[in-house]
């Protein structure tokens, strides 16, 4: 399949991730850049919420459930918008029209929104070039550990009609009781339900997240930081492509698709929170609407990946406590005692959130993970500030712009929270990459003590800082020029700096994505499912009738058969909380012709077929473990070869007739 052939799925991906959020945001009476930037965030919150509601109500999740959820959320948002308007129309600090502002302000906001769209369009083109370079084709299977689970989970949602977190968890824990954040799977399954395969849908979402969701979130965050300045907001959208760590590095490592989506959505939450905190001249009503959207979006982030919400908590605390508290909570005139009470309330809420994060049982297993340090502290610090984590090829121009932006923000009281937040994210990145002491585990354990996840957070503050730095350097370059052309020169210098940071990075971003995708799929030692194997597995339904289950070791790519063909597999992932039969068959299935205990276990699980895809996948740091039964079925009693192709052989189990 070519990217031109995947034009319809790509359009579907954009519509799915934007339309519900635009409708809900418009009902809430968000406007301009806030509406555009919040649209993907609200979409994910609506779809993830609809998945949970449909599951609780015994309904099937799909286009109808998504439409019903969008309609319900739009009605609720419309009512909330009316209440906010009525409550603030005559309140202190309100503006004519319930916070709508003057006609001039509205025109400025419209121009800024148009600039955000233009910048996002440019970013989408750059992202598409990176995706083409990294994936090669839109139907390539990601050659990574987690991709098997995520792709099979999308197929599971399509088959069961249940996209709730507890249903997705049952893919690898059939006995139930588990919880796995399923926001990404709900979005991707909705795209797949409209035509594309799970693999194509997942790759389309990779592009939409990188080229639409992330730039729009950056545009909103920059709007909150610098105000309604069209050129700067457009620059923020384009500069989203200058940072290899997000989403490109996490789309290569893992593969961490939910983490990438959750972290990119965090930019919109942070931008909405900054607007609610009093950034810009908006009235009270607009601030309350932004706050409501931020709260809803935060819930959506949690259902995509809780790590994104846990990342937002300290950043929001810094936003409120370092710079914005005096104007955020009480934008009208207030007595010192009122401000003190408000400050204590915020501190108490932050402390309560931190306590819940530490004590919540579900974070215990996450915090127990401990990736060993791979860098010295100076090396990790240099990689972080140079925007080249884990040796990835970062943009030197973008690093200079961020450094200049730090100097600018440090001199402005209202932007010092941005400096503090950036320093915090860099510090967490360095701790995860270079420090094995208990303090590192305690502070970074919420993100698996994983350098890649924390490095991906640095661009959240890096993008607005880069915009500030680009503007400062452009203005400085124009100062020596005569006044009539200085403004034009500054604008040209700004555009040149932005393009110099973003355009050359297309190659590096695509190369990172290609390390575990297109190039890996062409290299047998790195390949989990190469193209020839994929074509055979996609055609598996020709031989396997409905109701039958296929066994095969995940380490040779056999588990991908479920996502590729819809044929159920016994082992949908490398690991899982599986019942006794699963473990027994993993070690004894090949003895079905001689061990009388094997056939009853096979019958209980409806297993009547076996796949042998040959060479085992053995990436760095991961070695094949277990599944000792799957070692060459050729010639063994009780197994009949039925079909072969691409190095894969399908056997019928005849021992149990």
């Amino acid at each position: 399949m070519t990217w031109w052939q995947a034009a319809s799925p790509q359009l579907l991906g954009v519509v799915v991730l934007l339309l519900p959020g635009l409708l809900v945001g418009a009902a809430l009476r968000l406007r301009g850049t806030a509406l555009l930037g919040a649209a993907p965030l609200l979409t994910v919150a609506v779809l993830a919420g609809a998945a949970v509601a449909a599951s609780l109500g015994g309904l099937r999740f799909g286009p109808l459930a998504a439409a019903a959820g969008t309609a319900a959320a739009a009605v609720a948002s419309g009512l909330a918008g009316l209440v906010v308007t009525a409550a603030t129309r005559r309140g202190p600090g309100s503006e004519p029209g319930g916070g709508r502002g003057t006609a001039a302000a509205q025109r400025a906001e419209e121009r800024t929104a148009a600039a955000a769209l233009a910048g996002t369009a440019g970013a989408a083109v750059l992202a598409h070039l990176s995706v083409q370079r990294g994936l090669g084709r839109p139907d390539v299977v990601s050659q990574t550990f987690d991709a098997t689970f995520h792709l099979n989970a999308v197929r599971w949602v399509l088959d069961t009609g249940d996209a709730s977190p507890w249903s997705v968890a049952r893919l690898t824990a059939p006995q139930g009781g588990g919880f796995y954040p399923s926001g990404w799977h709900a979005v991707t399954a909705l795209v797949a339900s409209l035509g594309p395969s799970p693999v194509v849908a997942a790759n389309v979402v990779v592009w939409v997240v990188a080229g639409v969701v992330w730039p729009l979130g950056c545009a909103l965050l920059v709007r909150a930081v610098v105000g309604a300045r069209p050129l700067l907001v457009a620059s923020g959208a384009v500069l989203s492509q200058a940072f290899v760590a997000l989403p490109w590095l996490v789309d290569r490592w893992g593969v961490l698709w939910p983490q990438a989506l959750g972290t990119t959505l965090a930019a919109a939450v942070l931008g909405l929170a900054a607007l609610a905190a009093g950034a810009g001249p908006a009235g009270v009503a607009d601030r309350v609407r932004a706050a409501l959207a931020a709260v809803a979006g935060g819930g959506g982030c949690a259902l995509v990946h809780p790590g994104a919400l846990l990342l937002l908590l300290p950043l929001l605390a810094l936003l409120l406590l370092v710079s914005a508290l005096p104007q955020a909570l009480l934008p009208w005139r207030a007595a010192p005692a009122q401000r003190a009470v408000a400050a204590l309330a915020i501190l108490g809420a932050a402390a309560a959130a931190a306590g819940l994060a530490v004590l919540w049982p579900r974070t215990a297993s996450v915090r127990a993970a401990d990736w060993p340090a791979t860098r010295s502290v100076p090396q990790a610090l240099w990689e972080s500030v140079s925007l080249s984590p884990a040796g990835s090829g970062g943009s030197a121009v973008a690093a200079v712009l961020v450094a200049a932006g730090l100097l600018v923000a440090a001199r402005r009281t209202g932007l010092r929270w941005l400096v503090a937040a950036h320093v915090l994210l860099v510090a967490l990145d360095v701790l995860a990459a270079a420090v094995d002491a208990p303090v590192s585990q305690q502070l970074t354990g919420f993100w698996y003590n994983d350098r890649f996840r924390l490095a991906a957070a640095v661009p959240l503050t890096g993008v607005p800082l880069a915009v500030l730095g680009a503007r400062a350097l452009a203005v400085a370059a124009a100062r020596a020029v005569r006044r009539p052309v200085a403004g034009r020169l500054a604008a040209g210098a700004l555009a040149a700096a932005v393009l110099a940071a973003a355009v050359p990075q297309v190659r590096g971003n695509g190369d990172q994505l290609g390390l575990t995708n297109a190039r890996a799929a062409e290299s047998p030692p790195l390949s989990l499912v190469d193209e020839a194997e994929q074509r055979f597995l996609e055609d598996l339904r020709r031989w396997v009738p409905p109701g039958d289950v296929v066994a095969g070791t995940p380490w040779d790519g056999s588990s991908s058969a479920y996502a590729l063909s819809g044929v159920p597999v016994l082992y949908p992932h490398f690991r899982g909380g599986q019942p006794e039969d699963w473990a027994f068959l993993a070690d004894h299935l090949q003895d079905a012709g001689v061990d009388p205990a094997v056939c009853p276990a096979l019958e209980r699980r409806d297993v009547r077929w076996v796949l042998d895809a040959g060479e085992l996948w053995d990436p760095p740091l991961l070695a094949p473990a277990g599944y000792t039964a799957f070692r060459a079925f050729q010639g063994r009693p009780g197994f009949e070869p039925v079909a072969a192709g691409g190095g894969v052989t399908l056997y019928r189990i005849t021992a149990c007739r």
Side-chain angles (χ1 to χ4, degrees):
M1 174 182 280
T2 67
W3 287 100
W4 282 111
Q5 292 171 324
S8 295
Q10 292 173 79
L11 179 60
L12 282 174
V14 174
V15 171
V16 165
L17 270 159
L18 288 185
L19 183 58
L22 286 173
L23 295 174
V24 173
L28 185 59
R29 300 188 70 185
L30 294 177
R31 57 195 177 102
T33 311
L35 174 60
L36 293 173
L41 180 68
L42 295 175
T43 290
V44 172
V46 167
L47 296 182
V52 171
S55 179
L56 293 174
L59 302 176
R60 187 175 184 84
F61 177 78
L64 290 178
T70 300
V75 170
S77 297
L79 293 174
L82 291 174
V83 170
V84 169
T85 300
T88 58
R89 182 170 291 140
R90 294 185 176 85
S94 64
E95 296 178 3
R100 282 295 189 184
T102 64
Q106 290 187 44
R107 287 194 297 271
E109 196 62 55
E110 290 169 359
R111 288 193 296 268
T112 304
L117 278 177
T120 299
V125 172
L126 297 179
H128 207 292
L129 294 174
S130 295
V131 168
Q132 288 184 46
R133 180 178 179 84
L135 296 182
R137 62 181 200 274
D139 60 343
V140 69
V141 176
S142 176
Q143 312 294 311
T144 51
F145 185 80
D146 288 353
T148 300
F149 169 78
H150 293 311
L151 293 174
N152 282 340
V154 172
R155 176 70 71 178
W156 174 268
V157 172
L158 294 175
D159 285 351
T160 65
D162 194 338
S164 65
W166 44 87
S167 174
V168 170
R170 282 176 37 192
L171 177 66
T172 53
Q175 57 270 53
F179 180 95
Y180 195 93
S182 59
W184 180 90
H185 307 89
V187 170
T188 307
L190 186 58
V191 175
S193 70
L194 297 172
S197 69
V199 173
V200 172
N203 289 334
V204 164
V205 172
V206 166
W207 168 66
V208 177
V209 169
V212 180
V213 175
W214 174 226
L216 284 176
C218 289
L220 172 55
L221 181 54
V222 171
R223 161 64 183 87
V225 169
V226 305
R229 298 185 178 183
L231 186 56
L232 297 184
V233 170
S235 297
V238 176
L239 279 172
S240 68
Q241 303 305 303
F243 294 77
V244 69
L246 185 67
W248 310 103
L249 206 58
V250 285
D251 277 341
R252 186 261 288 186
W253 175 252
V255 62
L256 306 180
W257 287 323
Q259 183 79 50
L261 176 58
T263 308
T264 55
L265 291 173
V269 177
L270 200 57
L272 289 168
L275 289 175
V284 177
D286 285 334
R287 295 176 186 177
V288 174
R289 293 187 189 101
L292 291 174
V295 171
C301 281
L303 289 174
V304 171
H305 202 293
L309 179 62
L310 293 173
L311 182 68
L312 278 166
L313 292 177
L315 300 182
L316 295 174
L318 287 171
L319 167 63
L320 293 174
L321 296 175
V322 173
S323 297
L325 184 61
Q327 60 180 352
L329 303 174
L330 299 171
W332 52 88
R333 295 181 180 274
Q338 290 176 299
R339 292 185 181 275
V341 170
L344 289 175
I346 287 295
L347 287 171
L356 286 174
V358 172
L359 298 175
W360 191 30
R362 293 196 181 275
T363 65
S365 60
V366 174
R367 297 174 67 214
D370 186 15
W371 287 89
T374 59
R375 299 288 192 273
S376 67
V377 172
Q379 286 175 326
L381 181 60
W382 171 249
E383 287 183 350
S384 191
V385 299
S386 65
L387 307 181
S388 301
S392 58
S395 169
V397 176
V400 171
L401 297 181
V402 171
L406 282 168
L407 296 177
V408 173
R411 299 175 60 184
R412 300 182 185 177
T413 302
L415 295 180
R416 286 175 185 161
W417 71 270
L418 196 57
V419 177
H422 191 73
V423 170
L424 172 64
L425 294 177
V426 169
L428 290 174
D429 179 28
V430 172
L431 279 173
V435 179
D436 279 327
V439 64
S440 174
Q441 183 68 18
Q442 291 298 317
L443 294 176
T444 67
F446 297 105
W447 304 277
Y448 296 90
N449 188 228
D450 183 3
R451 198 273 169 92
F452 289 87
R453 299 172 193 263
L454 288 166
V458 174
L460 288 173
T461 49
V463 170
L465 287 170
V467 171
L468 292 172
R471 179 181 181 276
L473 293 176
V475 170
R479 282 178 178 171
V481 182
R482 292 176 301 148
R483 176 170 291 181
V485 296
R488 295 179 184 176
L489 180 59
L494 174 66
V498 169
L499 294 176
V503 174
Q505 193 57 35
V506 166
R507 184 184 184 90
N509 294 342
D511 286 345
Q512 285 300 314
L513 197 59
L515 289 176
T516 50
N517 287 286
R519 273 179 273 164
E522 297 168 359
S523 304
L526 300 176
S527 172
L528 181 62
V529 181
D530 64 28
E531 186 172 0
E533 293 171 335
Q534 179 178 344
R535 299 307 170 219
F536 180 83
L537 294 177
E538 287 173 340
D539 209 23
L540 204 58
R541 188 57 82 184
R542 285 181 56 189
W543 302 284
V544 180
D548 284 8
V549 175
V550 176
T553 170
W555 292 101
D556 69 3
S558 296
S559 294
S560 299
Y562 182 43
L564 293 169
S565 68
V567 173
V569 296
L570 184 63
Y571 303 105
H573 191 38
F574 298 85
R575 300 170 184 164
Q578 299 166 333
E580 184 177 351
D581 281 346
W582 272 254
F584 174 76
L585 291 173
D587 289 330
H588 300 282
L589 187 148
Q590 66 179 354
D591 297 325
V594 296
D595 186 343
V598 175
C599 283
L602 292 172
E603 289 299 325
R604 284 192 294 270
R605 305 302 167 190
D606 297 320
V607 178
R608 297 179 177 88
W609 305 83
V610 174
L611 278 170
D612 183 354
E615 185 176 4
L616 299 182
W617 181 62
D618 189 11
L621 302 180
L622 293 172
Y627 304 101
T628 56
F630 299 93
R631 298 289 186 273
F633 290 90
Q634 183 68 38
R636 296 192 67 87
F639 297 92
E640 174 191 349
V642 174
V648 184
T649 302
L650 174 68
Y651 293 89
R652 178 188 290 112
I653 302 174
T654 59
C656 303
R657 285 181 176 175

